[in-house]
Amino acid sequence: VTFSTSVRALHHQWMQTIEDQLHYKAVRPHSLLVFINPVAAIQQAVDIYQFKVAPLFKLAKITTVVIVTDYANHARDYILATDFHKYDGVVCVGGDGMFSELMQGVIRRTQTKAGVDLNNPKARLAKCHLRIGIIPAGSTNSVCYSTTGVSDPVTSALHIIVGDCQPLDVCSVHQRNTLLKYSASLLGYGFFGDILKDAERARWLRASRYDLSGIKTFLKHQLYEGNISFRLATGRVGSPRDKCRCLTGCTICSEIGRRLNQNENEDDNANWNELEGKFLAINGACISCCSFRSSQGLSPSGHLANGALDLILVHKCSKFNFLRHLFRHVTNNDQLDFPFVEVYRVREFKFLPYVMSSREIALKKQKRKSHFRRNIWRRNVGRKSSSWNSDGELIMPAAIEVK
């Protein structure tokens, strides 16, 4: 909404009223560290900040230090090495990858100062008090879209100025007691992992590379075999099929926040389930993962801060049925309402891929005519492993533990 008037006195009254309201906002920021990713998908991050965001920060009397990143993980490294006592928060101007980079730095810095072992999957993380603001300038801007409902730089800047705060779930990704990454939106194995891996080879196509890679990956229709075990979330966490949208003041997220503050824990050894089979996609959604491409998101009933993620398993099906499932993401129809799709609200999960052993590979190369060996080969056709797409970044190890 834009207000305009030719009456100078009325214009001055509006400005004075806004300044008075901002003055009484006790928790709003006064000093921010801003990171700009100049090579974000649309490559307009610098202009977006300079012409749309910076003037608003100036009017709100917010002092800023601006850093244009020069290389991958520049922002993360800077955060790990900088004293933040003089800043009220950090702001990223870019896409989901840029937000993830700042998040990695803030979480790692907080846990290191608190003496938490980052490589221990069962370690209880210390709460991060440094806030992260997002100015959308990427290709999907899923985190921004899921938290504010739009992907608009001015709207996001206004949320930052007035001090709005939204808690957000984050999951840790480990392999063999080694931290690989923290994720705040999508963890995708199979279809979404293959799209990202292929798109990385065509970065010169910019944002359109995801469309091309999506078509190629769909036509391949690659299946991946594996075993997945997961611990169901208990308590008042809602259901991934209840068609309830998480909005400001969500009672479920508020209740979970209260329980976490009181250190109420669940039994980590209870409510475990196990499945194995052939999967087209395994997706873990910490939030709804909305975007301009999919206003409902991967998990329309996903919550922002209920302490759980929605695990979506897409089993073997025909290309036609898989296309129907994908098409429903851009409509208002339920993309989870298929017999080959399962969804669970979980606290954690573990995935172990089934891949060909060295013996089975040797059997193929030898091409012997043994009936027994031919049967072994047939049973393992297609046993490959994919990669994980974690907030737009690749995780190469397929066997992971997520919590």
Side-chain angles (χ1 to χ4, degrees):
V1 177
T2 302
F3 294 96
S4 61
T5 180
S6 58
V7 181
R8 184 177 296 272
L10 183 58
H11 178 269
H12 178 75
Q13 182 181 350
W14 287 348
M15 291 292 294
Q16 188 62 47
T17 301
I18 292 173
E19 289 180 3
D20 290 343
Q21 292 297 317
L22 288 176
H23 176 75
Y24 292 112
K25 281 278 187 179
V27 295
R28 83 177 190 90
H30 297 279
S31 178
L32 295 171
L33 177 61
V34 180
F35 292 95
I36 303 176
N37 180 8
V39 294
I42 59 176
Q43 298 193 354
Q44 296 177 1
V46 175
D47 289 343
I48 286 174
Y49 178 77
Q50 182 177 353
F51 296 111
K52 293 186 177 182
V53 179
L56 294 175
F57 283 172
K58 184 177 180 180
L59 286 172
K61 297 181 173 57
I62 296 176
T63 59
T64 58
V65 174
V66 179
I67 298 174
V68 180
T69 57
D70 295 324
Y71 54 88
N73 293 320
H74 182 178
R76 184 200 65 183
D77 296 342
Y78 191 95
I79 289 173
L80 291 173
T82 302
D83 182 6
F84 276 87
H85 286 99
K86 60 181 179 180
Y87 299 114
D88 299 315
V90 292
V91 174
C92 64
V93 186
D96 293 330
M98 188 63 175
F99 170 77
S100 177
E101 187 176 326
L102 262 69
M103 181 187 70
Q104 308 297 320
V106 170
I107 296 178
R108 288 172 183 266
R109 177 188 177 90
T110 303
Q111 307 319 309
T112 300
K113 291 183 67 175
V116 176
D117 182 5
L118 295 175
N119 292 319
N120 180 6
K122 298 187 181 299
R124 184 178 177 84
L125 300 185
K127 187 176 181 180
C128 298
H129 296 285
L130 186 66
R131 296 184 179 184
I132 303 176
I134 314 170
I135 303 297
S139 55
T140 57
N141 304 308
S142 177
V143 176
C144 182
Y145 205 112
S146 298
T147 52
T148 66
V150 293
S151 179
D152 176 61
V154 173
T155 299
S156 295
L158 293 175
H159 279 295
I160 293 170
I161 288 170
V162 300
D164 283 345
C165 178
Q166 171 59 58
L168 201 64
D169 282 333
V170 173
C171 64
S172 62
V173 184
H174 288 80
Q175 186 196 43
R176 297 176 182 174
N177 292 324
T178 300
L179 176 68
L180 300 178
K181 202 173 182 292
Y182 291 104
S183 176
S185 57
L186 169 68
L187 265 173
Y189 181 84
F191 183 71
F192 287 108
D194 290 351
I195 288 177
L196 181 61
K197 189 174 182 179
D198 185 80
E200 288 298 298
R201 305 189 189 103
R203 296 190 68 88
W204 55 277
L205 289 174
R206 299 183 182 177
S208 61
R209 69 186 187 272
Y210 296 110
D211 297 326
L212 177 61
S213 296
I215 295 172
K216 291 169 61 178
T217 303
F218 169 76
L219 293 176
K220 287 180 180 178
H221 202 65
Q222 181 65 55
L223 291 169
Y224 297 99
E225 294 185 67
N227 176 286
I228 187 162
S229 55
F230 51 91
R231 182 166 66 90
L232 292 172
T234 59
R236 192 164 176 262
V237 294
S239 166
R241 300 298 304 279
D242 60 13
K243 302 186 184 302
C244 177
R245 302 287 292 186
C246 182
L247 303 172
T248 301
C250 172
T251 56
I252 291 177
C253 294
S254 299
E255 174 66 16
I256 293 297
R258 182 193 64 79
R259 290 175 56 190
L260 289 175
N261 290 333
Q262 295 178 0
N263 294 322
E264 296 181 18
N265 297 320
E266 295 180 357
D267 183 2
D268 289 349
N269 298 316
N271 300 307
W272 279 93
N273 293 263
E274 187 173 344
L275 291 172
E276 64 177 17
K278 297 180 180 180
F279 304 97
L280 281 166
I282 298 174
N283 300 319
C286 286
I287 55 180
S288 61
C289 298
C290 300
S291 69
F292 73 95
R293 297 174 184 269
S294 174
S295 60
Q296 301 297 313
L298 278 177
S299 183
S301 299
H303 284 263
L304 297 172
N306 67 342
L309 62 82
D310 290 346
L311 180 63
I312 305 169
L313 308 176
V314 183
H315 294 269
K316 179 181 178 180
C317 66
S318 67
K319 279 187 181 179
F320 177 69
N321 280 333
F322 188 47
L323 180 62
R324 291 172 61 206
H325 165 68
L326 294 177
F327 184 73
R328 286 193 180 185
H329 285 79
V330 298
T331 67
N332 292 324
N333 295 324
D334 186 0
Q335 67 264 34
L336 305 176
D337 187 22
F338 288 101
F340 55 86
V341 178
E342 294 183 82
V343 58
Y344 303 92
R345 186 150 288 172
V346 306
R347 296 293 190 198
E348 57 185 307
F349 72 87
K350 301 175 184 179
F351 179 70
L352 179 65
Y354 292 163
V355 295
M356 271 186 280
S357 68
S358 57
R359 176 173 177 270
E360 291 168 338
I361 295 174
L363 288 176
K364 181 188 177 185
K365 290 181 178 179
Q366 292 170 6
K367 295 183 179 179
R368 296 187 176 172
K369 303 300 182 180
S370 164
H371 175 73
F372 173 72
R373 288 180 174 177
R374 284 201 306 272
N375 285 343
I376 290 179
W377 173 245
R378 286 195 192 100
R379 287 199 300 271
N380 293 283
V381 168
R383 283 196 171 183
K384 302 177 181 179
S385 64
S386 179
S387 305
W388 287 90
N389 179 339
S390 176
D391 299 349
E393 296 183 4
L394 278 175
I395 294 180
M396 298 309 295
I400 61 171
E401 179 178 352
V402 179
K403 184 175 183 179

